[in-house]
């Protein structure tokens, strides 16, 4: 099967899986050049799902972290490390509520663990590196089928550049007004 045909086959396969038009357990990939059918597609459900999730998680332009009900970080992507200024060893198993000094971030984490979507926008000083950033933090509770809290997931965006740009723009406007006056 040519590379181009394989790409089209994969696109069709993923689209059909997403559209729930075929049972994902019946799909398998075939190395032959035979026609694509539900019976001859070789497919490993867990492999595809894990690869998609892993790719989204690892390649995300925002920091992503997952924490348990005790507010201990259990998983995170490299962008999260970059934004908050720490490394894998410093962040793994970090208890957010016990180590972070920012009371508003602590409050947002606590709200999330009370099954509330919460957020924080503001200054953040890294406890691991002392790095000062401006962040946007969105927290969503993670629940089991019985709606019991099993942790939370956080999305973090560094908007330090935008914040500095806004401040510079305000200063420039003030200087222009002073010149015009």
């Amino acid at each position: 099967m040519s590379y181009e045909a394989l790409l089209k086959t994969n696109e069709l396969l993923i689209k059909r899986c997403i559209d729930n038009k075929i049972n994902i357990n019946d799909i398998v990939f075939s190395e032959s050049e035979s026609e694509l059918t539900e019976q001859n597609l070789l497919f490993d459900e867990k492999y595809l799902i894990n690869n998609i999730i892993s790719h989204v998680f690892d390649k995300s332009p925002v920091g992503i972290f997952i924490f348990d009900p005790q507010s201990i970080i259990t998983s995170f992507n490299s962008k999260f490390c970059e934004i908050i200024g720490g490394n894998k060893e410093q962040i793994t198993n970090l208890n957010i509520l016990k180590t972070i000094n920012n009371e508003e971030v602590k409050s947002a984490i606590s709200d999330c663990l009370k099954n509330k979507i919460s957020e924080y926008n503001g200054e953040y000083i890294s406890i691991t590196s002392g790095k000062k950033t401006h962040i946007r933090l969105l927290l969503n509770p993670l629940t089991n089928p019985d709606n019991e809290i099993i942790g939370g997931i956080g999305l973090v965006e560094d908007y330090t550049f935008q914040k500095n740009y806004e401040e510079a723009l305000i200063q420039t406007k003030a200087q222009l007004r002073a010149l015009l006056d």
Side-chain angles (χ1 to χ4, degrees):
M1 187 180 289
S2 72
Y3 179 72
E4 193 171 295
L6 183 60
L7 284 177
K8 288 181 182 178
T9 300
N10 288 340
E11 288 172 15
L12 175 64
L13 174 63
I14 291 169
K15 180 174 180 359
R16 291 174 75 192
C17 290
I18 291 170
D19 292 344
N20 290 322
K21 292 182 180 170
I22 55 177
N23 184 343
I24 200 164
N25 294 320
D26 296 334
I27 304 171
V28 285
F29 281 113
S30 172
E31 294 182 12
S32 70
E33 293 191 27
S34 62
E35 186 65 30
L36 176 67
T37 66
E38 291 177 31
Q39 290 77 29
N40 73 354
L41 292 171
L42 296 170
F43 186 82
D44 181 358
E45 172 188 2
K46 289 180 182 177
Y47 178 78
L48 178 67
I49 291 171
N50 286 339
N51 274 344
I52 291 171
I53 291 170
S54 177
H55 185 73
V56 169
F57 194 78
D58 292 338
K59 305 298 182 192
S60 174
V62 298
I64 303 171
F65 67 104
I66 299 170
F67 53 97
D68 68 13
Q70 290 75 40
S71 75
I72 295 171
I73 295 176
T74 58
S75 188
F76 52 90
N77 66 359
S78 58
K79 190 68 172 181
F80 179 70
C81 294
E82 179 185 323
I83 290 171
I84 70 160
N87 62 43
K88 185 178 180 180
E89 291 76 28
Q90 294 170 315
I91 297 169
T92 301
N93 296 320
L94 184 76
N95 187 314
I96 307 166
L97 292 178
K98 289 185 179 177
T99 53
I100 289 184
N101 299 322
N102 187 314
E103 292 302 318
E104 291 176 79
V105 172
K106 282 183 179 183
S107 177
I109 297 285
S110 294
D111 285 347
C112 180
L113 291 171
K114 293 175 186 165
N115 207 7
K116 299 176 186 173
I117 294 174
S118 56
E119 61 183 65
Y120 169 76
N121 293 315
E123 184 176 281
Y124 175 78
I125 300 173
S126 172
I127 58 167
T128 54
S129 70
K131 178 182 173 183
K132 181 179 172 182
T133 57
H134 292 274
I135 62 168
R136 290 186 183 111
L137 173 64
L138 177 63
L139 299 159
N140 286 288
L142 296 175
T143 58
N144 65 17
D146 296 326
N147 206 32
E148 298 167 332
I149 296 292
I150 58 170
I153 184 166
L155 304 174
V156 183
E157 180 183 16
D158 181 353
Y159 75 100
T160 305
F161 177 79
Q162 293 89 335
K163 183 74 172 170
N164 291 342
Y165 185 78
E166 289 171 10
E167 290 172 2
L169 189 58
I170 290 169
Q171 287 179 348
T172 302
K173 284 182 180 180
Q175 291 170 346
L176 286 173
R177 278 195 200 117
L179 284 173
L180 291 173
D181 289 344

